[in-house]
Amino acid sequence: MINGKDIDEFYKRWDIELPHEESFVAFRNRLQKVVWAFLRNPLFHNPLNLYRQSLEGRFALISGLKGDGKGDIPPSIEATNTLRELVLIMQNLFWAIGDLDVAIQDKKKWEEACRLMVENVNTVLDLSPGIRLRKLEFTGKGVQLYPLGVPILDTVVDSNVLWLGRFPDVAAEYNKALRILATNENASYRQALDCLRYAMEKLLKILFKNSLPLEKQKEELLLWMKEKGVHSQIRNNFWTMLNQFTSFQNSVVKHDNQPQSDDPRTFTTTEVEYMTYLSTTLMHFVIEISRSEYDAAPK
């Protein structure tokens, strides 16, 4: 079957570049067809079916739609004009699906219907070059949407979100940045970078029980790492990376009132991804060595 790689190669061969609006509309229309197919499943086929009513009711409640308690899901998809709006509608649908109470005798058919929809959405992603969303996974506990990035680094990013459960204030800032990056809204990228700084800063303040800004945590940080048995060269390397991260945030993001003539005021998706992975790696390392299981043998 044709896939995203074949389409990309064809476009490059013929030097075809679809406008973003055209790519988005095609992606939205394909998704709408997938949702229609899902709702035509025998479990939902009868308009009076309780599962159909329950799903639409949950979708209406989560999405905040007005009316009689039912959410007309496919038209809600058609009404979106940006990827950000579409991602929100689809995530609302996935949350509604995860909330649905299904009878034991229908559980297997229900999971089969959900898995088929996820497979179809992944096919749509394959057929939609330029749409930066990761392929979905159905775990039985629902589906979450994430932006497309570097697979080997995404493993660290996703795991870091889970480990940040110990630090809800940090997780809140970090997830804001991920949500902004997922929607590809360039106008909000500066806010995403701010959130990454706040996340890193809050993490160190919590660990060290102080109120110092990032740039003044060097002495505390290096002593703490030494006590944890972190190699001296790793300690120095970590501080160099953190210091550069902080300098960038202070000079370009936080206080960028008079940027250099050769520096743009806006940030590209690739630049924000880079800063996301950098901050993730830094937080990932700190969180790992803060765990009681960490082997702090002198090095």
Side-chain angles (χ1 to χ4, degrees), residues 2-5 94 118-128 131-138 143-149 154 158:
I2 189 70
N3 57 42
K5 183 179 179 182
F94 292 143
V118 166
E119 289 176 8
N120 289 336
V121 172
N122 286 337
T123 298
V124 165
L125 288 171
D126 263 340
L127 296 173
S128 305
I131 301 299
R132 298 180 60 79
L133 289 176
R134 289 179 55 192
K135 288 191 175 183
L136 312 183
E137 292 184 11
F138 177 71
V143 178
Q144 296 288 331
L145 291 169
Y146 289 99
L148 179 66
D154 284 339
D158 290 347

Side-chain angles (χ1 to χ4, degrees), residues 14 31 63 92 176 187 211 235 244 258 260 264 275 278:
W14 288 94
L31 273 184
S63 62
N92 288 340
K176 284 181 192 175
S211 58
R235 299 198 302 266
Q244 290 176 349
Q258 295 180 327
Q260 298 297 318
M275 294 304 292
L278 175 59

Side-chain angles (χ1 to χ4, degrees), residues 18-297:
L18 290 180
H20 176 72
E21 294 78 7
E22 188 175 333
S23 299
F24 167 74
V25 170
F27 176 61
R28 183 189 65 195
N29 293 344
R30 292 177 183 127
L31 273 184
Q32 188 176 28
K33 291 179 180 179
V34 169
V35 174
W36 274 122
F38 175 71
L39 295 176
R40 285 198 297 268
N41 184 282
L43 284 170
F44 301 113
H45 191 63
N46 184 343
L48 299 178
N49 185 284
L50 292 179
Y51 288 150
R52 175 73 174 260
Q53 292 183 20
S54 178
L55 178 62
E56 292 184 341
R58 290 300 301 166
F59 174 78
L61 181 63
I62 294 171
S63 62
L65 296 177
K66 297 179 180 179
D68 57 3
K70 294 183 179 180
D72 209 353
I73 300 171
S76 297
I77 294 173
E78 186 178 14
T80 60
N81 296 308
T82 66
L83 183 61
R84 183 173 190 170
E85 294 174 354
L86 181 56
V87 165
L88 181 58
I89 289 293
M90 290 303 296
Q91 188 62 73
N92 288 340
L93 174 59
F94 292 143
W95 282 329
I97 289 172
D99 282 350
L100 199 63
D101 290 325
V102 180
I104 295 177
Q105 65 269 21
D106 294 328
K107 196 75 173 178
K108 185 176 180 180
K109 292 181 179 179
W110 169 249
E111 290 188 355
E112 288 175 354
C114 291
R115 292 184 192 283
L116 178 60
M117 183 182 66
V118 166
E119 289 176 8
N120 289 336
V121 172
N122 286 337
T123 298
V124 165
L125 288 171
D126 263 340
L127 296 173
S128 305
I131 301 299
R132 298 180 60 79
L133 289 176
R134 289 179 55 192
K135 288 191 175 183
L136 312 183
E137 292 184 11
F138 177 71
T139 63
K141 297 181 180 179
V143 178
Q144 296 288 331
L145 291 169
Y146 289 99
L148 179 66
V150 183
I152 191 169
L153 292 175
D154 284 339
T155 301
V156 178
V157 171
D158 290 347
S159 298
N160 199 58
V161 174
L162 296 176
W163 292 333
L164 282 174
R166 294 166 51 199
F167 310 97
D169 289 344
V170 179
E173 296 292 347
Y174 184 78
N175 281 319
K176 284 181 192 175
L178 290 186
R179 284 197 296 271
I180 292 171
L181 187 56
T183 59
N184 291 328
E185 291 292 328
N186 298 68
S188 300
Y189 280 172
R190 185 165 181 166
Q191 180 187 354
L193 293 170
D194 274 333
C195 290
L196 294 175
R197 174 194 169 88
Y198 294 146
M200 188 75 229
E201 192 166 68
K202 286 182 178 181
L203 178 60
L204 296 186
K205 286 180 178 179
I206 292 170
L207 287 175
F208 303 149
K209 297 181 175 59
N210 64 34
S211 58
L212 297 176
L214 275 177
E215 56 270 21
K216 295 186 178 180
Q217 293 281 19
K218 180 177 182 179
E219 183 177 349
E220 188 85 25
L221 175 66
L222 294 181
L223 178 60
W224 178 75
M225 285 187 169
K226 183 177 181 180
E227 292 173 348
K228 289 289 186 178
V230 178
H231 194 285
S232 61
Q233 300 235 7
I234 298 294
R235 299 198 302 266
N236 293 333
N237 175 267
F238 184 93
W239 174 252
T240 298
M241 298 301 295
L242 180 60
N243 190 44
Q244 290 176 349
F245 171 83
T246 305
S247 296
F248 168 79
Q249 292 283 357
N250 284 338
S251 62
V252 180
V253 180
K254 189 176 180 182
H255 303 301
D256 185 21
N257 295 321
Q258 295 180 327
Q260 298 297 318
S261 58
D262 60 344
D263 286 338
R265 277 186 174 275
T266 57
F267 302 95
T268 66
T269 301
T270 303
E271 289 171 334
V272 180
E273 282 183 350
Y274 169 77
M275 294 304 292
T276 300
Y277 289 131
L278 175 59
S279 61
T280 299
T281 301
L282 295 173
M283 287 193 292
H284 173 271
F285 184 67
V286 168
I287 290 171
E288 269 297 282
I289 65 175
S290 71
R291 297 168 60 185
S292 59
E293 302 93 330
Y294 182 78
D295 181 7

